[in-house]
Amino acid sequence: MVASTLDFCGHVRREWQFAPRRGPLIMMLVGIGGVVFTHQLLPLLPERAIGFMRAGFALEDMAAVLALNDLMAVYFPTFFVGLAGSLGVVLLAREEHRLELLLAKPVRAAALVAARATPVLGWTAAVGVVSSAAMAAAIASDSEAGSSVTPAGTFGSGLFLTAVVVVLLAALQLVFVKIRDPFAGLLVACAAWFGTSMPTAVLLYRPDAFARHPLALSLVMPNLLWHDATMAWLGPLSLLIALPLAVALVLAAGAWLERSDAL
Amino acid sequence: MTRLQWLDYRAALGERKTYVAAALMIYAVLAVPLLLAEPPPHVREVIAAWLADEDPFALFMFVWIDLVMNKVIAFVPVILASGVVLRERDTRVLGLLAAKPLTLGRYFVIRTVSACAVMLTLYAVTQVPAVAWFHGQIAGFRAGTFLAAMGLHACAAVFATAFAATVMVAVGRRGAGALVAWMLLGVMVGLALVGFYQPDWYALTLANPLTLGTLAMGNLQQLSPAVLLPPMLALLAWTAVTIAAGARLVRKMEV
């Protein structure tokens, strides 16, 4: 008797059933909690601290300062919940000698990696969407803080960051299929995350560096808030584009695993 | 035991992740002077007001601790400690270790102390040579003050490593454990300097162990053993209690 094989969507559905849910659900609450905490804490800081952020990041009012801190509350949990799940796709399975067993299934490595990574990326996107919605609700309820950012714009900014996270994690799978040590994988992922945050730190301490390279301003996080109206539509569109792009990247990672001798 | 501890430390030191972490820290040492070459006036004024110190060296120390080393102790300890005991369990060698005349609790202590020692070594091999580089790059750089302040900060890094190891065994799964450790250390790092921004909360923030690692910043002009020793001792006590809690938790782990 020959067991019938599943198509790719069938594999994704099967992996989705077994994907851990508790972590992402907890991180959704952490994202919401982070937003609430920001909105409770920042108004209690002295004007000098708020002025520092406003001047450093060229923000118009308190609402933008709150939104910038909210964006960190979206970006940090979304990336790290996705990273924790992404490690299990290939790296931990390889270290625990389960990868050979998984690849012995009647399924191509590309489909297997993509099917295992897609639920992780899906849950990552869900954490980002929920955190972004919390951010938009908080900005809407804090209308006295200013009008330089809108709930729709901040929601779009959160979705844009979520799209960045989803694509970044999918791209990291290309590295993970070549690495044997999960700790080295963690370090590479942390370095990549820092790489995306670094331009924002440079803006604070070396704004003159951007005078010579104005295009580089598109890499800093406050840029999302400076273009509030654009982000209202660009954010959702970015996430819609990011999801199939991420699936293509994890399929490529699986194809690379198939051709490597790093099993 | 001492021999086992030494061998485990040497093995941990030789791992690729240690070299990668050292490379990241050396990159930070090389990059920070560029970041501080021309700080804008509003940054200089606000940091001088927070630290009650207009010396450019105070600005450098704020950026070095807040932007660089506090981020290092939010991430690197988790990577160094995330394999303690759980890696052995997941790769099915814990059963073999359990058959040796060594309790699981004691094994956890050895592995965690090794991870803490690797963290200290990373500090030593990056901060000490950094003195020579910073001396020529940072206006008013004071080597003794820098090393004393970073000595205190290294105690916070050791605590963070022990904390990450204990969180890992408390959670029981490597991916989820690393995530929880990152979140908790991220919150501690995020709130570490709030006492400088809002002086009314200064006393309250001392309950945060990672705040204790930054206390040198408020006393850069008169840094002395009286300033450094109490937070150092408090951090060592936090570390010992954390490792003891981890050793207790690991005894309940199913081999």
Side-chain angles (χ1 to χ4, degrees):
Chain A
M1 195 177 106
V2 178
S4 61
T5 54
L6 294 167
D7 61 357
F8 176 63
C9 291
H11 278 301
V12 173
R13 274 198 298 273
R14 180 66 62 86
E15 293 288 349
W16 185 272
Q17 285 171 3
F18 295 107
R21 291 181 174 82
R22 199 190 306 162
L25 290 173
I26 290 172
M27 293 311 276
M28 281 177 190
L29 294 177
V30 168
I32 295 168
V35 169
V36 172
F37 184 69
T38 297
H39 283 253
Q40 296 297 315
L41 180 82
L42 284 190
L44 301 177
L45 291 179
E47 177 50 36
R48 185 186 284 147
I50 303 298
F52 177 64
M53 285 187 266
R54 281 180 59 185
F57 296 118
L59 303 172
E60 283 182 31
D61 51 29
M62 182 65 181
V65 172
L66 287 166
L68 183 65
N69 284 275
D70 287 345
L71 284 177
M72 287 308 290
V74 173
Y75 196 37
F76 188 92
T78 306
F79 180 81
F80 284 97
V81 74
L83 176 59
S86 296
L87 289 176
V89 174
V90 171
L91 267 177
L92 290 178
R94 173 183 283 148
E95 192 186 49
E96 293 160 17
H97 308 294
R98 288 186 285 114
L99 191 59
E100 297 89 337
L101 196 67
L102 290 168
L103 290 173
K105 289 182 187 176
V107 53
R108 293 181 68 88
L112 178 86
V113 172
R116 283 170 66 80
T118 303
V120 172
L121 297 173
W123 275 111
T124 302
V127 171
V129 171
V130 170
S131 305
S132 303
M135 181 171 79
I139 291 293
S141 65
D142 224 345
S143 55
E144 287 175 12
S147 58
S148 70
V149 290
T150 61
T154 48
F155 183 59
S157 301
L159 294 187
F160 185 87
L161 274 186
T162 304
V164 170
V165 167
V166 168
V167 172
L168 190 58
L169 288 171
L172 280 170
Q173 280 302 337
L174 288 164
V175 182
F176 289 171
V177 296
K178 288 287 179 185
I179 292 179
R180 283 182 175 278
D181 184 359
F183 305 112
L186 278 178
L187 264 178
V188 169
C190 287
W193 188 81
F194 269 120
T196 59
S197 308
M198 197 54 80
T200 307
V202 174
L203 176 67
L204 189 60
Y205 294 106
R206 285 295 302 274
D208 60 299
F210 292 92
R212 292 189 295 274
H213 310 286
L215 263 182
L217 279 172
S218 57
L219 298 174
V220 304
M221 207 177 278
N223 183 48
L224 302 175
L225 305 173
W226 300 336
H227 299 94
D228 185 74
T230 308
M231 291 318 299
W233 62 266
L234 187 59
L237 182 66
S238 306
L239 189 56
L240 281 177
I241 295 169
L243 292 171
L245 178 62
V247 173
L249 282 168
V250 290
L251 276 168
W256 205 10
L257 175 69
E258 206 163 49
R259 274 187 279 154
S260 78
D261 56 357
L263 295 179
Chain B
M1 279 294 286
T2 314
R3 175 80 181 148
L4 180 60
Q5 182 72 72
W6 171 245
L7 290 173
D8 191 58
Y9 164 68
R10 291 282 303 273
L13 206 56
E15 288 183 27
R16 187 178 295 169
K17 67 185 178 193
T18 309
Y19 291 110
V20 179
L24 290 176
M25 289 168 76
I26 290 166
Y27 168 76
V29 168
L30 296 174
V32 157
L34 286 175
L35 201 61
L36 280 171
E38 289 177 54
H42 64 267
V43 168
R44 281 200 299 265
E45 286 162 17
V46 169
I47 294 176
W50 280 337
L51 302 182
D53 191 342
E54 292 187 0
D55 191 344
F57 177 65
L59 170 65
F60 161 75
M61 286 304 293
F62 180 85
V63 173
W64 181 244
I65 288 180
D66 178 44
L67 186 66
V68 181
M69 296 315 292
N70 266 0
K71 304 303 177 284
V72 165
I73 64 171
F75 289 92
V76 174
V78 179
I79 290 155
L80 293 179
S82 62
V84 170
V85 181
L86 295 187
R87 188 188 208 179
E88 289 85 331
R89 185 198 61 188
D90 294 345
T91 51
R92 315 253 166 91
V93 294
L94 201 56
L96 194 69
L97 286 167
K100 304 286 179 196
L102 180 73
T103 63
L104 213 49
R106 193 167 278 196
Y107 182 69
F108 171 83
V109 172
I110 287 173
R111 299 280 289 126
T112 306
V113 169
S114 293
C116 292
V118 169
M119 191 73 225
L120 265 184
T121 309
L122 283 174
Y123 260 67
V125 300
T126 54
Q127 310 298 300
V128 175
V131 168
W133 170 245
F134 288 151
H135 206 271
Q137 300 288 324
I138 306 295
F141 182 77
R142 301 200 296 274
T145 308
F146 173 79
L147 288 175
M150 295 323 293
L152 174 58
H153 201 264
C155 295
V158 167
F159 162 77
T161 311
F163 180 77
T166 297
V167 168
M168 293 299 297
V169 294
V171 173
R173 292 211 319 272
R174 281 194 286 171
L179 183 63
V180 173
W182 266 323
M183 291 309 302
L184 294 176
L185 284 173
V187 169
M188 280 195 250
V189 162
L191 297 176
L193 298 179
V194 169
F196 287 103
Y197 313 145
Q198 175 53 281
D200 294 348
W201 300 343
Y202 184 79
L204 196 64
T205 59
L206 296 180
N208 177 358
L210 298 192
T211 299
L212 298 176
T214 65
L215 288 185
M217 270 199 315
N219 298 280
L220 290 171
Q221 296 295 350
Q222 61 272 347
L223 214 50
S224 65
V227 173
L228 293 171
L229 278 178
M232 274 183 175
L233 291 173
L235 280 166
L236 289 178
W238 268 111
T239 305
V241 169
T242 306
I243 294 177
R248 202 174 169 79
L249 283 168
V250 84
R251 281 185 214 135
K252 295 174 187 163
M253 185 182 286
E254 205 171 306
V255 176

